[in-house]
Amino acid sequence: MKTFPKPLTAREERECLERYQEGDQEARATLIERNMRLVAHVAKKYQNTDYDMEDLLSVGTIGLIKAVNTFHTDRGSRLATYAAKCVENEILMLLRANKKYSKEVSLFEPIGVDKDGETVSLVDVIEMENKEALETIILSQDIKELYDAFDHCLRDTEKKVIGMRYGLYGGKEHTQREIADMLGISRSYVSRIEKKSIEKLRMEFEKNNKKSGIIK
């Protein structure tokens, strides 16, 4: 699967949007191409369904194209936030055709209306508190994947060391010396376990992202 280019910066996005609004189709193509990584991130959330990533990416791309075609700069948010909503809605339409996923919940589904009568979704509420809402959503997804890798990639001793070292699952962070004393092993051994465990987690995380085409 191809590797997607990096997203546009806020300035680059604004310039492309302005050019597209003036009829520049090359700018439109750039907006679509440079947001494909976003499509992959959203689609990755549903990669364990009955649909493979190629199908999810294809459907998600339709949502992205719709977003680029209908986005207005006066919305007060980045194109990516609006596009994420369109991409996920398009994928959920596909999944809901399968009754097995009829109750799938989306961050972008309406949860009420604002004072102007406009529908409000959970991600809109998040964005009110954090203008980098999309990045926060993707980071939360990445953290979940790292925890999943922690659970099935590491041995018991490795889990203990990494869990105590970084305060996972709400625990307290400890120094290598403190961990060594608690486990009755040398600090250098703790360091080796930590280094090996982090490499395992990194490889697992990158493997998952390769499957989604997000990184090489």
Side-chain angles (χ1 to χ4, degrees), residues 166-209:
Y166 297 96
L168 301 186
Y169 295 103
K172 177 186 175 182
E173 294 183 15
H174 294 81
T175 65
Q176 291 181 347
R177 176 60 64 189
E178 289 173 335
I179 296 171
D181 292 341
M182 285 186 283
L183 298 183
I185 56 180
S186 68
R187 189 204 62 78
S188 61
Y189 187 39
V190 171
S191 179
R192 289 197 298 272
I193 292 174
E194 179 183 351
K195 183 177 180 180
K196 180 180 178 181
S197 300
I198 289 175
E199 180 63 15
K200 281 186 177 181
L201 293 173
R202 184 188 66 78
M203 291 177 65
E204 180 67 14
F205 187 65
E206 289 186 354
K207 181 177 72 174
N208 289 335
N209 278 326

Side-chain angles (χ1 to χ4, degrees), residues 27-61:
R28 174 179 178 273
T30 298
L31 288 167
I32 294 171
E33 180 183 11
R34 297 288 288 276
N35 277 285
M36 282 302 300
R37 182 174 293 198
L38 166 65
V39 176
H41 270 294
V42 176
K44 187 167 64 171
K45 175 182 174 182
Y46 302 100
Q47 65 182 346
N48 293 322
T49 63
D50 292 341
Y51 298 91
D52 60 33
M53 276 300 297
E54 288 292 346
D55 291 334
L56 295 174
L57 286 172
S58 295
V59 172
T61 301

Side-chain angles (χ1 to χ4, degrees), residues 144 146-152 159 163 166-172:
K144 177 182 180 301
L146 283 173
Y147 269 102
D148 289 342
F150 173 89
D151 287 335
H152 76 263
K159 289 180 181 179
Y166 297 96
L168 301 186
Y169 295 103
K172 177 186 175 182

